[in-house]
Amino acid sequence: MTDSTPPPDATTADATTPEGSAASAASGSDVPVLSARDLQVAYRTGKDASVRALRGVSFDLYPESSLALVGESGCGKTTLGLALLRLLPTLGEITGGTVTFTGEDGRRRDVTTMTQGQLRRWRWSEAAMVFQGAQNAFNPVLTIGQQMADTLVDHAPGRIGRREVLERSAEALRSVRLEPRRVLGSYPHELSGGMKQRALIATSLLLRPRLLVLDEPTTALDILTQRTVIDLLAELRAEYKFAMIFISHDLALAAELADRVITMYAGKVIETGSTRDIFSAPKHPYTSKLINAVPPVSGDLPELASIPGAPPSLATLPPGCAFAPRCELATDECLQAEPELITLTERPADMTHAAACIHHDQVHHERKVIARA
């Protein structure tokens, strides 16, 4: 399945399917805002060559919940975020699977089959993304006010007047603790990194979307500004009731912002569960090693341990488990076939703890504390 333009009626599921049944009319907390099923993405690397960047990703995101995608660079986190909103670069395409979005009216739509016109109306109004690096996300030759106005005019349902544009832009900026009089007339380079990031978040929330995807929103910020942005996101989520996908390599931030965590490696989901389960009792050796490589914000100072080696090339994946070459628990059995997610603990809704490791019962997570002199 690609991003090519489908038939005009391709976004609405047939009434005989589960997606188009009467059950979809009720959009409650038990109905996911977003459902990905066997999502696959490939990047073209030559005339007849491509690399599989996502290999069968599936998950559900429920209303007002927060999901963190964690893992090292190159594991597929950003590709997944871009694919969910059909914002992949030119060389990337969705080659299989579905992404189903359920609006507040209960209507379910497959994002992978939307036309460009339908995508334009859906983005920002129902699903928005905060990109990594606000300086690159904003147009440097337009003021913040002009760019917020463009977003409203282009994506708001129906016509919107100049006065309403100004009022809604000012309201959005105040919600992220920015002074509208100063920011609306400023160019991006005239704002600090933290102000730009908050202005970008304000722009993403202009139309009160039901889903917000954030790709490393605090990477380029100092630790104090990071704290401000994280507190702000928690407050905004409580106020506006949006569901959130938080992409990060910073596990401390993920633990603080997310209800649920997905660990990705080599383009696949290798562990998923509630934040409590993942951080207190991870069942995949990769997740455990990620946690042990990050210093805690408080408490005793643990002995940090890096993960040996590097993630595999997606063009030449090793046989069996992709993490096996870096795993101390790996056996010959790990090299025979790639393990599937195994359900370990049943939880309500989407909090089930699962891991793709045949040695999950041998993963005993502990952090060694450095002895003080």
Side-chain angles (χ1 to χ4, degrees), residues 239-283:
E239 179 180 356
Y240 294 124
K241 311 296 184 184
F242 54 80
M244 182 169 71
I245 296 177
F246 183 77
I247 300 170
S248 180
H249 65 273
D250 190 326
L251 272 71
L253 297 183
E256 190 166 353
L257 275 177
D259 306 313
R260 180 178 166 223
V261 176
I262 284 179
T263 305
M264 295 190 66
Y265 191 78
K268 289 184 71 73
V269 175
I270 61 168
E271 187 167 9
T272 179
S274 69
T275 303
R276 179 184 295 275
D277 284 344
I278 293 295
F279 284 91
S280 64
K283 291 302 179 183

XYZ file of all heavy atoms in Angstrom, residues 239-283:
350
model
N -5.712 19.455 30.043
C -6.711 20.475 29.704
C -7.450 20.165 28.415
O -8.677 20.252 28.344
C -6.029 21.841 29.578
C -6.980 22.971 29.215
C -6.287 24.323 29.098
O -5.058 24.389 29.387
O -6.963 25.307 28.708
N -6.709 19.782 27.370
C -7.317 19.600 26.052
C -7.728 18.157 25.757
O -8.365 17.893 24.735
C -6.362 20.093 24.966
C -6.129 21.587 25.004
C -4.842 22.111 25.116
C -7.192 22.474 24.933
C -4.624 23.486 25.161
C -6.989 23.845 24.970
C -5.697 24.344 25.085
O -5.501 25.690 25.130
N -7.338 17.212 26.605
C -7.790 15.820 26.499
C -7.361 15.125 25.206
O -8.075 14.268 24.699
C -9.317 15.738 26.629
C -9.900 16.485 27.812
C -9.443 15.912 29.134
C -10.120 16.614 30.300
N -9.617 16.138 31.619
N -6.213 15.479 24.650
C -5.767 14.807 23.428
C -4.967 13.553 23.773
O -4.399 13.423 24.857
C -4.930 15.742 22.546
C -3.756 16.388 23.246
C -2.573 15.704 23.450
C -3.838 17.712 23.676
C -1.489 16.302 24.087
C -2.765 18.321 24.314
C -1.594 17.615 24.526
N -4.941 12.616 22.838
C -4.064 11.449 22.957
C -2.698 11.834 22.401
O -2.607 12.644 21.471
C -4.643 10.274 22.179
N -1.638 11.263 22.960
C -0.302 11.728 22.600
C 0.636 10.553 22.340
O 0.626 9.558 23.060
C 0.264 12.602 23.730
C 1.634 13.182 23.456
S 2.099 14.442 24.684
C 2.381 13.413 26.125
N 1.431 10.688 21.277
C 2.533 9.761 21.011
C 3.822 10.553 21.168
O 4.038 11.550 20.473
C 2.439 9.154 19.600
C 1.177 8.295 19.481
C 3.677 8.315 19.295
C 0.968 7.708 18.103
N 4.665 10.117 22.096
C 5.883 10.839 22.443
C 7.080 10.010 22.000
O 7.332 8.929 22.525
C 5.905 11.065 23.960
C 7.069 11.874 24.459
C 7.083 13.252 24.310
C 8.137 11.262 25.092
C 8.153 14.004 24.787
C 9.205 12.001 25.567
C 9.214 13.382 25.411
N 7.798 10.501 20.993
C 8.966 9.792 20.453
C 10.218 10.328 21.130
O 10.459 11.540 21.120
C 9.060 9.997 18.927
C 7.810 9.454 18.234
C 10.318 9.329 18.369
C 7.709 9.830 16.774
N 11.010 9.445 21.737
C 12.175 9.928 22.473
C 13.196 8.824 22.677
O 12.856 7.640 22.743
C 11.743 10.483 23.833
O 12.848 10.967 24.565
N 14.457 9.228 22.779
C 15.504 8.303 23.214
C 15.806 8.528 24.689
O 16.609 7.822 25.288
C 16.781 8.500 22.389
C 17.421 9.833 22.598
N 17.064 10.949 21.871
C 18.362 10.246 23.475
C 17.782 11.984 22.282
N 18.574 11.594 23.251
N 15.142 9.537 25.282
C 15.331 9.870 26.691
C 14.302 9.113 27.522
O 13.135 9.504 27.601
C 15.181 11.383 26.891
C 15.614 11.830 28.287
O 15.419 11.057 29.244
O 16.129 12.957 28.414
N 14.722 8.041 28.151
C 13.789 7.199 28.883
C 13.235 7.883 30.129
O 12.127 7.575 30.568
C 14.452 5.875 29.258
C 14.343 4.776 28.200
C 15.219 5.092 27.001
C 14.713 3.429 28.784
N 13.992 8.816 30.709
C 13.497 9.524 31.881
C 12.267 10.359 31.529
O 11.282 10.392 32.276
C 14.599 10.412 32.458
N 12.313 11.007 30.369
C 11.166 11.799 29.926
C 9.996 10.892 29.561
O 8.840 11.203 29.850
C 11.550 12.668 28.724
C 12.621 13.735 28.960
C 12.836 14.543 27.692
C 12.236 14.642 30.107
N 10.305 9.774 28.927
C 9.246 8.834 28.559
C 8.536 8.312 29.799
O 7.301 8.191 29.832
C 9.843 7.673 27.759
N 9.302 8.007 30.844
C 8.715 7.495 32.080
C 7.792 8.519 32.716
O 6.797 8.170 33.347
C 9.818 7.100 33.051
N 8.112 9.782 32.547
C 7.327 10.839 33.175
C 6.065 11.190 32.401
O 5.028 11.515 32.993
C 8.205 12.088 33.339
C 7.580 13.165 34.194
C 8.584 14.211 34.607
O 9.794 14.036 34.349
O 8.161 15.213 35.206
N 6.127 11.121 31.082
C 5.016 11.588 30.255
C 4.054 10.492 29.816
O 2.903 10.768 29.507
C 5.552 12.282 28.996
C 5.910 13.761 29.112
C 6.497 14.241 27.796
C 4.703 14.593 29.493
N 4.522 9.254 29.770
C 3.736 8.206 29.113
C 2.977 7.313 30.079
O 3.429 7.031 31.190
C 4.650 7.351 28.243
N 1.797 6.865 29.631
C 1.054 5.832 30.337
C 1.557 4.453 29.906
O 1.492 3.499 30.675
C -0.444 5.923 30.006
C -1.005 7.308 30.259
O -0.717 7.861 31.333
O -1.721 7.838 29.387
N 2.034 4.398 28.670
C 2.443 3.134 28.080
C 3.703 3.351 27.251
O 3.920 4.439 26.707
C 1.313 2.607 27.191
C 1.600 1.289 26.494
C 0.390 0.855 25.701
N 0.716 -0.222 24.771
C 0.285 -0.284 23.522
N -0.499 0.658 23.052
N 0.613 -1.283 22.748
N 4.526 2.322 27.148
C 5.806 2.418 26.436
C 5.900 1.303 25.396
O 5.495 0.166 25.648
C 7.000 2.318 27.419
C 8.323 2.309 26.646
C 6.973 3.468 28.415
N 6.418 1.661 24.231
C 6.775 0.679 23.204
C 8.268 0.808 22.939
O 8.761 1.902 22.656
C 5.986 0.903 21.896
C 4.544 0.404 22.044
C 6.662 0.205 20.722
C 3.688 0.613 20.807
N 8.989 -0.301 23.074
C 10.406 -0.326 22.711
C 10.532 -0.839 21.291
O 9.978 -1.882 20.952
C 11.203 -1.251 23.651
O 10.997 -0.860 25.001
C 12.686 -1.175 23.332
N 11.264 -0.088 20.448
C 11.454 -0.484 19.062
C 12.910 -0.825 18.805
O 13.822 -0.234 19.391
C 10.995 0.630 18.117
C 9.509 0.919 18.184
S 8.954 2.024 16.857
C 9.221 0.980 15.419
N 13.103 -1.799 17.914
C 14.456 -2.186 17.517
C 14.398 -2.754 16.109
O 13.568 -3.629 15.813
C 15.033 -3.229 18.475
C 16.514 -3.486 18.289
C 17.451 -2.590 18.789
C 16.981 -4.605 17.604
C 18.813 -2.805 18.623
C 18.336 -4.834 17.430
C 19.255 -3.925 17.941
O 20.614 -4.133 17.771
N 15.249 -2.230 15.236
C 15.326 -2.708 13.847
C 13.968 -2.707 13.157
O 13.629 -3.638 12.424
C 15.949 -4.101 13.796
N 13.188 -1.660 13.406
C 11.915 -1.499 12.701
C 10.771 -2.323 13.227
O 9.720 -2.390 12.584
N 10.918 -2.944 14.403
C 9.852 -3.757 14.971
C 9.595 -3.384 16.434
O 10.475 -2.835 17.097
C 10.203 -5.261 14.909
C 10.166 -5.846 13.512
C 10.433 -7.341 13.543
C 9.277 -8.120 14.127
N 8.130 -8.198 13.209
N 8.391 -3.695 16.895
C 8.071 -3.556 18.313
C 8.598 -4.799 19.019
O 8.200 -5.925 18.693
C 6.549 -3.436 18.540
C 6.226 -3.429 20.032
C 6.011 -2.178 17.870
N 9.504 -4.618 19.995
C 10.061 -5.777 20.684
C 9.586 -5.882 22.133
O 9.772 -6.935 22.761
C 11.601 -5.780 20.639
C 12.167 -4.540 21.317
C 12.093 -5.890 19.209
C 13.661 -4.624 21.558
N 8.995 -4.813 22.661
C 8.375 -4.899 23.987
C 7.350 -3.780 24.118
O 7.534 -2.678 23.597
C 9.406 -4.795 25.110
C 8.792 -5.046 26.488
C 9.816 -5.275 27.602
O 11.024 -5.074 27.354
O 9.398 -5.641 28.716
N 6.267 -4.081 24.803
C 5.228 -3.082 25.047
C 4.543 -3.382 26.365
O 4.402 -4.546 26.757
C 4.191 -3.066 23.900
O 3.180 -2.098 24.201
C 3.541 -4.419 23.703
N 4.148 -2.329 27.056
C 3.481 -2.498 28.339
C 3.276 -1.169 29.021
O 3.659 -0.113 28.494
N 2.663 -1.203 30.199
C 2.478 0.030 30.956
C 3.832 0.576 31.376
O 4.825 -0.163 31.454
C 1.623 -0.238 32.199
O 2.336 -1.032 33.138
N 3.890 1.861 31.642
C 5.151 2.483 32.068
C 5.685 1.800 33.315
O 6.889 1.546 33.433
C 4.934 3.983 32.329
O 4.417 4.592 31.150
C 6.229 4.662 32.714
N 4.801 1.475 34.254
C 5.232 0.809 35.485
C 5.874 -0.551 35.178
O 6.944 -0.878 35.691
C 4.039 0.635 36.419
C 4.388 -0.075 37.740
C 3.133 -0.306 38.557
N 2.540 0.941 38.975
C 2.902 1.609 40.073
N 3.875 1.125 40.838
N 2.311 2.729 40.402
N 5.220 -1.352 34.327
C 5.758 -2.674 33.995
C 7.102 -2.578 33.291
O 8.041 -3.318 33.591
C 4.774 -3.444 33.108
C 3.596 -3.993 33.886
O 3.669 -4.046 35.131
O 2.588 -4.365 33.257
N 7.177 -1.660 32.328
C 8.398 -1.551 31.521
C 9.588 -1.122 32.365
O 10.695 -1.669 32.240
C 8.185 -0.570 30.357
C 7.179 -1.124 29.345
C 9.514 -0.246 29.672
C 7.641 -2.365 28.620
N 9.397 -0.149 33.241
C 10.539 0.385 33.983
C 10.843 -0.377 35.273
O 11.969 -0.320 35.762
C 10.329 1.875 34.287
C 10.555 2.755 33.092
C 9.515 3.086 32.247
C 11.821 3.224 32.783
C 9.720 3.883 31.125
C 12.042 4.015 31.674
C 10.993 4.341 30.840
N 9.874 -1.085 35.817
C 10.141 -1.850 37.032
C 10.535 -3.292 36.730
O 11.322 -3.894 37.459
C 8.921 -1.841 37.954
O 7.811 -2.496 37.349
N 10.003 -3.848 35.639
C 10.301 -5.248 35.318
C 10.316 -5.477 33.823
O 9.476 -6.203 33.275
C 9.275 -6.165 35.979
N 11.276 -4.867 33.092
C 11.364 -5.104 31.649
C 11.647 -6.575 31.367
O 12.355 -7.237 32.129
C 12.529 -4.212 31.214
C 13.369 -4.052 32.448
C 12.388 -4.029 33.584
N 11.096 -7.074 30.252
C 11.250 -8.486 29.918
C 11.987 -8.712 28.603
O 12.061 -9.839 28.132
C 9.870 -9.159 29.877
C 9.226 -9.272 31.246
C 10.107 -10.056 32.223
C 9.494 -10.165 33.605
N 10.397 -10.862 34.554
